[in-house]
C-alpha cells in the first residue's frame, strides 16, 4: 500500500480542472469490506488525510455524520471523486458471492453497489488495492456490473 500513499500519489497529486483553470485537489474515495480490510482502510485514510487533508478523503466510518442519509452521501462524494480505491482482501470475493445470493429483505452488498457506481457513473479512476495476500479475482467470477474491475491494474 505504500505505493498508493507514497511517491506514486505525488505523480497523480493534483489534477488540472477540465477547463484548464487552476488545480483541483485529488479527492479519494476508499471502498472496503469491514470484515477483512477495515484496519488497512483506516490506516490508508490516516495517511491520505495527512497528505491531502480530511476534506479530500472519504471513508464511511470517519466521513458520514450521525443521521446522514448514507446512500445519498456516498453517491455525492463518489460523484466528486478523482480516485476510487477498491480494497480487496482475502475474503472479498467469498463475501461478494455470499451477498450476491442474498434474498429480499437482507442488506445489500454496499461494497458492490459502490463499485458499480464507480465503474459506470463516477468520473474518477478506479484502482483495485490488493491487501495482504489477496489476488485479483478473474472477471468471470464477478457480477456483470463490476466485471470491469478485473481488467484494471491493481496495486
Amino acid at each position: 500500500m505504500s505505493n498508493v500513499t507514497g511517491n506514486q500519489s505525488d505523480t497523480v497529486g493534483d489534477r488540472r480542472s477540465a477547463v484548464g483553470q487552476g488545480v483541483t485537489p485529488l479527492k479519494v474515495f476508499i471502498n472496503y469490506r469491514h470484515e477483512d480490510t477495515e484496519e488497512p482502510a483506516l490506516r490508508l485514510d490516516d495517511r491520505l488525510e495527512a497528505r491531502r487533508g480530511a476534506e479530500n478523503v472519504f471513508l464511511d466510518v470517519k466521513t458520514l455524520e450521525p443521521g446522514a442519509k448514507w446512500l445519498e452521501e456516498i453517491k455525492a462524494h463518489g460523484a466528486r471523486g478523482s480516485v476510487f480505491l477498491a480494497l480487496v482482501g482475502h475474503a472479498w470475493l467469498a463475501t461478494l458471492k455470499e451477498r450476491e445470493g442474498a434474498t429480499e429483505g437482507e442488506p445489500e452488498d454496499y461494497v458492490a453497489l459502490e463499485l458499480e457506481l464507480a465503474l459506470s457513473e463516477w468520473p474518477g479512476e478506479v484502482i483495485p488495492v490488493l491487501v495482504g495476500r489477496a489476488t485479483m479475482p478473474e472477471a468471470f467470477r464477478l457480477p456483470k456490473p463490476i466485471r470491469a474491475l478485473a481488467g484494471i491494474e491493481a496495486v
Side-chain angles (χ1 to χ4, degrees):
M1 284 197 325
S2 61
N3 287 344
V4 175
T5 57
N7 294 335
Q8 185 177 8
S9 66
D10 291 337
T11 62
V12 176
D14 296 323
R15 295 177 177 231
R16 299 282 168 199
S17 67
V19 291
Q21 299 174 352
V23 174
T24 56
L26 181 68
K27 301 272 188 186
V28 180
F29 188 106
I30 302 172
N31 168 271
Y32 68 101
R33 290 205 179 279
H34 292 272
E35 298 87 354
D36 69 346
T37 53
E38 184 171 26
E39 184 60 35
L42 289 166
R43 287 194 319 262
L44 180 59
D45 175 76
D46 287 343
R47 293 177 86 180
L48 288 169
E49 280 186 7
R51 296 187 75 136
R52 304 290 177 209
E55 68 281 1
N56 293 315
V57 181
F58 179 89
L59 182 71
D60 63 350
V61 296
K62 290 180 80 175
T63 307
L64 293 175
E65 296 290 327
K69 294 182 179 176
W70 66 268
L71 186 55
E72 291 175 20
E73 289 291 319
I74 285 171
K75 286 181 177 180
H77 282 277
R80 293 190 304 265
S82 336
V83 175
F84 180 95
L85 300 177
L87 275 61
V88 177
H90 70 282
W92 187 89
L93 183 61
T95 304
L96 176 74
K97 290 296 186 186
E98 178 182 303
R99 293 195 178 158
E100 190 177 33
T103 59
E104 193 170 325
E106 291 183 13
E108 283 187 63
D109 186 348
Y110 305 119
V111 169
L113 176 64
E114 291 171 0
L115 268 169
E116 182 178 345
L117 289 168
L119 290 164
S120 65
E121 299 178 22
W122 293 346
E125 291 182 52
V126 175
I127 302 172
V129 179
L130 304 177
V131 178
R133 288 185 254 169
T135 58
M136 196 63 183
E138 293 112 336
F140 75 90
R141 296 189 182 275
L142 301 174
K144 280 188 179 183
I146 64 170
R147 206 165 271 169
L149 184 69
I152 301 171
E153 185 65 29
V155 62

